[in-house]
């Protein structure tokens, strides 16, 4: 009887996990579209729940409030964008071109989701708790990748050995954030404009770090 009960409960548990994950993903998709079309203020947890087809109370089992819902949507989108960018970095290229490739990948997302992008810049400073920690971890993972690219640049004799990898990675990231704020606050977000604005900043930053023959 115990063996039969165990066999019966196992798929049920897996099914519940699958359904929960599917509902979570659906909530994020619907919320993202509503944030984009209606704006943050007009989007409510109740409206999202109704659109998904669940009770207003059920949505709070996944997200404690609207701020957490927005944070989850932004985190999920950025995670997908970041992972894809890192996995498709041109390997046989300079550090400058590799960094610009990553930046352009993010710029394209912001161009595709302009309203959410503006919300990200506006609300990111006020995100607290577990989501703040998750965003910090997300940035740290990207920072580690940048450090790795810089180290590979040193092996190619492109970057000087006396350059601090973390300092250079942080400076490059600061250039990106500066341009991101500018293009997100523009009437229309353009990935192409973002890249063109970032190029001279990155070039100037790397000019003091590269070997003269590079």
């Amino acid at each position: 009887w115990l063996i039969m009960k165990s066999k019966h409960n196992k798929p049920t548990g897996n099914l519940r996990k699958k359904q929960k994950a599917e509902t979570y993903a659906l909530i994020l998709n619907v919320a993202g579209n509503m944030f984009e079309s209606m704006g943050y203020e007009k989007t409510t947890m109740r409206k999202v729940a109704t659109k998904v087809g669940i009770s207003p109370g059920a949505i709070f089992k996944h997200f404690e409030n609207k701020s957490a819902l927005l944070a989850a949507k932004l985190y999920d989108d950025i995670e997908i964008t970041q992972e894809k960018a890192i996995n498709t970095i041109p390997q046989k290229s300079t550090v400058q071109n590799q960094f610009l490739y990553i930046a352009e990948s993010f710029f394209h997302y912001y161009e595709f989701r302009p309203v959410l992008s503006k919300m990200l810049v506006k609300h990111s400073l006020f995100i607290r708790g577990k989501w703040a920690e998750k965003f910090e971890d997300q940035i740290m993972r990207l920072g580690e990748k940048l450090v790795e690219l810089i180290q590979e640049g040193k092996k190619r004799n492109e970057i000087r050995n006396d350059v601090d990898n973390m300092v250079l990675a942080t400076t490059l990231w600061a250039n990106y954030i500066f341009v991101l704020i500018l293009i997100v606050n523009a009437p229309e977000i353009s990935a192409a404009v973002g890249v063109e604005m970032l190029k001279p900043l990155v070039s100037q930053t790397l000019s003091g770090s590269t070997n003269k023959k590079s």
Side-chain angles (χ1 to χ4, degrees):
W1 179 80
L2 289 174
I3 294 176
M4 290 177 63
K5 182 178 180 181
S6 175
K7 288 182 177 180
H8 176 73
N9 286 340
K10 187 173 182 179
T12 301
N14 290 337
L15 180 60
R16 286 177 178 173
K17 289 181 179 179
K18 181 180 178 181
Q19 291 175 336
K20 184 176 181 179
E22 290 175 347
T23 300
Y24 183 94
L26 181 58
I27 291 172
L28 287 185
N29 184 54
V30 170
N33 291 334
M34 293 182 75
F35 282 134
E36 191 73 36
S37 62
M38 300 172 58
Y40 182 78
E41 298 303 329
K42 291 184 178 180
T43 300
T44 65
M45 297 288 277
R46 180 178 291 275
K47 289 178 180 178
V48 174
T50 300
K51 188 70 174 179
V52 172
I54 60 178
S55 68
I59 195 172
F60 287 99
K61 293 181 180 180
H62 297 272
F63 306 99
E64 59 184 7
N65 51 43
K66 186 169 66 171
S67 178
L69 178 56
L70 174 62
K73 176 57 182 173
L74 293 172
Y75 177 88
D76 190 64
D77 281 0
I78 293 173
E79 186 71 9
I80 293 172
T81 303
Q82 178 169 306
E83 184 176 352
K84 183 178 179 180
I86 289 176
N87 290 336
T88 56
I89 292 174
Q91 297 302 312
K92 296 181 180 180
S93 189
T94 63
V95 171
Q96 176 170 327
N97 288 338
Q98 289 173 331
F99 180 73
L100 288 173
Y101 176 84
I102 295 173
E104 186 174 13
S105 298
F106 283 112
F107 288 154
H108 277 301
Y109 165 73
Y110 298 127
E111 181 179 16
F112 177 70
R113 288 285 203 179
V115 177
L116 277 179
S117 301
K118 294 180 186 296
M119 289 182 193
L120 173 62
V121 172
K122 180 179 179 180
H123 293 277
S124 60
L125 296 176
F126 304 100
I127 294 175
R128 297 290 183 269
K130 71 173 185 178
W131 285 109
E133 295 175 359
K134 289 174 74 69
F135 276 110
E136 182 178 351
D137 174 72
Q138 194 175 59
I139 293 173
M140 289 299 296
R141 282 186 281 115
L142 181 57
E144 290 171 358
K145 184 60 181 180
L146 294 180
V147 167
E148 179 184 319
L149 293 177
I150 293 168
Q151 184 59 37
E152 290 299 317
K154 288 183 176 180
K155 292 179 181 179
R156 296 192 301 269
N157 200 33
E158 175 189 341
I159 303 295
R160 297 200 327 266
N161 286 325
D162 62 331
V163 170
D164 187 299
N165 293 353
M166 182 58 72
V167 171
L168 180 55
T170 302
T171 305
L172 289 172
W173 184 249
N175 289 334
Y176 161 77
I177 293 297
F178 173 71
V179 172
L180 174 63
I181 293 173
L182 290 179
I183 66 169
V184 166
N185 284 319
E188 292 186 6
I189 299 176
S190 170
V193 170
V195 172
E196 287 306 308
M197 292 175 65
L198 186 59
K199 276 183 181 179
L201 297 178
V202 173
S203 179
Q204 181 66 34
T205 297
L206 289 172
S207 66
S209 301
T210 54
N211 285 309
K212 292 183 178 180
K213 66 177 181 179
S214 298

